[in-house]
Amino acid sequence: MKKWANIRISLPPLVFFVFLVGMWELVSYITRVPEYILPAPSLIGRSLFANVSLLADHTATTLTAVAGGLALAISTAILLSLAMDRWKPLKQALYPILVVSQAVPIFALAPLMMIWFGVGLLPKVLIVALVCFFPLAVNLVEGLNQVDPEAIELMKIMQADSLMIMKSVQLPTAMPYFFSGLKIAATYSVLGAIIGEWLGARAGLGIYMLRSMNSFRTGDVFASIVVVVLLSLMLFKIVEAFGWLAMPWKKKISDYNEE
Amino acid sequence: MIKIEKLVLDKINSTYYSGKKKLAVLKDVTLYVQPGEFVSVLGPSGSGKSTILKTAAGLLRPDSGKVLIDGEEVTGLPQLVGYMPQQDLLFPWKTMWQNAALPLLAAGVSKNEAFDRVSEMLPLFGLKGFADYYPYQLSGGMRQRAALLRTMLIDSNLMLLDEPFGALDALTREQMQDWLLGIWEKFRRSVLFVTHSIDEAIYLSDRVYVITERPGKNAIEQTIKIDRPREKSILTTRDFTIYKQILINALAN
């Protein structure tokens, strides 16, 4: 029964999407809009396949920045939120600054990264990390805050040490929050890498996009957009899969609710 | 030789602070539990019954008064006791056996041995075959029994139970009372049991303390002289009705 429910959920948007693409194809065929303004889906498809290996190289570059930035953001966010949870004065001092820091647009910080660290991989990694850090840290702090004080009391009665309390109460409580932060971060990460590449790089999807734009190869621009979308979706799904593996109890609860 | 009580609360005064507001919760509450005795604290909601248990467990430090366990003063120090809070507090991310095994693991018992010791107890707690179930997959009664199993596995012969059956439906509750009496007869631990049900207090206890409302104060102390093992048929006996009348009167004043 459950499989049917899934298909019912995913089928309507799929049908509608195919319909939209079909309309797009039809309209560009009838109106003959110049392809440097709006290329037909079929043309985008062609440019996608014609440049597969080139696109793959650029994607690999972008993915490296994404992976590095995510890893940096995750480790910093975990360390900092655990520290803030343990020492409340640190939280009081740091947390408001963290929130305010989000008012600084990433577009404004990215050029600074370029000035300080050049056009290599490092500034992209840092930009991705900056974009991803905030949703991760905020969710982790919030998650650690949700710990039931009665659960801690119970563990203390059992004379559990603080490592065990951390492992059996605090981390599992924060886990779902961490993963919802990670989902947001994963989708932001590609955006961060692309912005970094726009400002100066030798390779990457952002550069491919920029070069295609400058030579009015709009089909190639669209092709890189398709790759970016697929990349974000893939990262999102990977995070979701990790979430399922890390939280078997959640998986079972959602199964339970569906039935 | 002086007889040492299992648990003594001596003139406990406790205040609850909420911002600038001060609320007296307990006023000179005194009680004791003898080794192997089943004692209930009966009172309306808001009479500070949970505060009594938390104070006894050392989770709350009273404004004044002393807590003694086995004759030793332990006021305000979290003690290794079989404390069971009002909510079952089974961790949703742990399976039933993992939850029950927590006190063993906290005491440094290896995982394998903890599993064996939990498994051994499952039939007695009506949980055989449910070791790998997550709490949400268990019925209300099973969750309470799992929480009680966890409490039993805390290495202490004093149990502090805070309305363990409060959230259950009436029928399950009655079954659980009989089941708890069975367990208690078998292990004979000292129990301090908090409830707001008069019948439950009489049915289970050797002695009942009635606590008045806000601030909680000792009203009466009533010994229940009904032979054990007890069965539900005693609920309609004359003795039972007399005790019930006494407790109702004490609660009404």
Side-chain angles (χ1 to χ4, degrees):
Chain A
M1 279 287 111
K2 247 177 57 205
K3 276 194 176 152
W4 266 110
N6 281 341
I7 290 169
R8 257 207 312 265
I9 290 164
S10 56
L11 204 56
L14 196 70
V15 168
F16 189 60
F17 180 74
V18 170
F19 169 76
L20 278 181
V21 173
M23 285 302 286
W24 179 357
E25 184 75 39
L26 196 68
V27 167
S28 44
Y29 182 75
I30 295 171
T31 60
R32 302 196 172 281
V33 181
E35 64 181 45
Y36 65 85
I37 293 184
L38 186 67
S42 55
L43 192 104
I44 297 169
R46 245 177 292 148
S47 90
L48 202 58
F49 284 108
N51 302 312
V52 149
S53 66
L54 189 62
L55 271 169
D57 285 349
H58 286 295
T59 305
T61 309
T62 305
L63 257 183
T64 313
V66 164
L70 266 177
L72 185 60
I74 290 172
S75 39
T76 332
I78 289 177
L79 284 178
L80 215 58
S81 50
L82 284 180
M84 282 196 280
D85 188 63
R86 177 130 287 193
W87 297 290
K88 296 295 169 200
L90 182 69
K91 183 176 171 184
Q92 283 164 357
L94 202 58
Y95 195 67
I97 297 177
L98 268 182
V99 174
V100 171
S101 78
Q102 279 306 291
V104 182
I106 194 68
F107 287 94
L109 285 178
L112 285 176
M113 295 295 138
M114 296 294 153
I115 294 171
W116 293 336
F117 304 107
V119 292
L121 185 63
L122 182 62
K124 281 87 178 173
V125 169
L126 290 177
I127 292 167
V128 172
L130 276 175
V131 178
C132 297
F133 171 75
F134 186 72
L136 280 170
V138 167
N139 273 284
L140 266 171
V141 168
E142 174 70 17
L144 288 169
N145 217 10
Q146 296 302 311
V147 170
D148 183 355
E150 297 229 319
I152 304 270
E153 282 182 350
L154 186 66
M155 295 300 284
K156 280 193 180 147
I157 290 279
M158 296 178 195
Q159 314 289 316
D161 55 26
S162 55
L163 184 70
M164 185 176 175
I165 295 180
M166 170 74 78
K167 278 202 311 204
S168 10
V169 183
Q170 288 166 298
L171 290 185
T173 306
M175 195 90 88
Y177 293 84
F178 170 72
F179 274 101
S180 35
L182 192 55
K183 275 184 194 168
I184 300 171
T187 29
Y188 279 9
S189 64
V190 183
L191 175 91
I194 301 269
I195 290 175
E197 286 163 1
W198 279 351
L199 290 166
R202 283 180 285 272
L205 283 170
I207 278 301
Y208 184 81
M209 213 180 263
L210 219 56
R211 285 183 193 154
S212 309
M213 183 188 84
N214 290 338
S215 47
F216 293 98
R217 284 182 282 119
T218 315
D220 291 349
V221 176
F222 270 99
S224 55
I225 292 175
V226 170
V227 174
V228 168
V229 169
L230 290 179
L231 211 56
S232 301
L233 274 179
M234 187 191 76
L235 285 171
F236 189 85
K237 284 291 167 192
I238 290 175
V239 170
E240 218 169 44
F242 271 115
W244 274 47
L245 288 177
M247 301 179 290
W249 69 94
K250 282 275 166 189
K251 179 170 118 195
K252 298 219 172 123
I253 286 172
S254 60
D255 279 359
Y256 188 72
N257 290 342
E258 270 172 38
E259 273 152 19
Chain B
M1 207 177 106
I2 307 161
K3 200 175 72 187
I4 295 175
E5 310 295 0
K6 186 67 205 169
L7 168 74
V8 177
L9 298 192
D10 187 22
K11 290 197 178 127
I12 300 289
N13 284 283
S14 195
T15 317
Y16 176 73
Y17 299 92
S18 163
K20 281 178 189 163
K21 271 187 205 159
K22 257 174 66 171
L23 195 68
V25 182
L26 298 179
K27 182 127 180 53
D28 286 334
V29 169
T30 297
L31 58 83
Y32 68 95
V33 181
Q34 290 173 346
E37 195 184 21
F38 197 122
V39 175
S40 286
V41 173
L42 176 67
S45 27
S47 55
K49 300 191 296 292
S50 294
T51 308
I52 293 176
L53 280 200
K54 284 199 173 188
T55 307
L59 291 170
L60 285 175
R61 179 173 281 282
D63 298 339
S64 66
K66 278 186 200 162
V67 180
L68 299 140
I69 292 178
D70 294 324
E72 214 172 302
E73 190 180 343
V74 291
T75 319
L77 306 166
Q79 290 301 302
L80 187 71
V81 290
Y83 170 68
M84 181 170 155
Q86 218 163 357
Q87 301 84 11
D88 59 49
L89 268 189
L90 295 175
F91 299 153
W93 46 83
K94 289 196 179 289
T95 58
M96 190 271 286
W97 89 263
Q98 288 172 333
N99 269 293
L102 277 172
L104 299 174
L105 298 175
V109 173
S110 78
K111 227 174 186 175
N112 287 334
E113 200 197 324
F115 180 76
D116 290 346
R117 283 185 56 191
V118 170
S119 304
E120 206 169 276
M121 299 286 264
L122 291 183
L124 189 58
F125 283 73
L127 292 165
K128 198 166 185 248
F130 291 94
D132 292 322
Y133 280 55
Y134 283 98
Y136 75 90
Q137 296 168 308
L138 303 173
S139 69
M142 290 169 101
R143 291 172 63 108
Q144 289 302 320
R145 289 201 296 271
L148 263 162
L149 171 54
R150 181 184 59 193
T151 313
M152 289 287 294
L153 289 173
I154 297 175
D155 187 20
S156 157
N157 45 21
L158 173 61
M159 296 182 85
L160 308 169
L161 309 179
D162 194 353
E163 292 193 47
F165 310 142
L168 301 176
D169 63 87
L171 283 176
T172 314
R173 184 173 186 148
E174 289 192 5
Q175 286 168 3
M176 291 287 288
Q177 290 164 358
D178 285 331
W179 172 84
L180 178 68
L181 274 188
I183 294 279
W184 178 76
E185 307 269 356
K186 197 169 156 68
F187 294 95
R188 280 286 168 169
R189 295 199 174 164
S190 320
V191 177
L192 186 60
F193 186 96
V194 157
T195 180
H196 57 236
S197 157
I198 297 172
D199 285 8
E200 190 169 82
I202 304 171
Y203 185 59
L204 296 176
S205 314
D206 296 317
R207 260 182 322 120
V208 178
Y209 287 97
V210 176
I211 303 291
T212 60
E213 213 171 342
R214 243 176 239 122
K217 272 192 306 229
N218 284 79
I220 62 158
E221 176 191 340
Q222 179 63 50
T223 309
I224 310 292
K225 289 183 182 131
I226 299 177
D227 291 341
R228 293 183 189 270
R230 295 175 185 168
E231 284 167 18
K232 279 274 142 56
S233 58
I234 66 159
L235 289 174
T236 46
T237 59
R238 203 180 122 74
D239 283 354
F240 194 94
T241 322
I242 292 169
Y243 287 131
K244 194 166 173 172
Q245 195 55 55
I246 295 171
L247 296 182
I248 289 172
N249 288 342
L251 280 167
N253 293 330

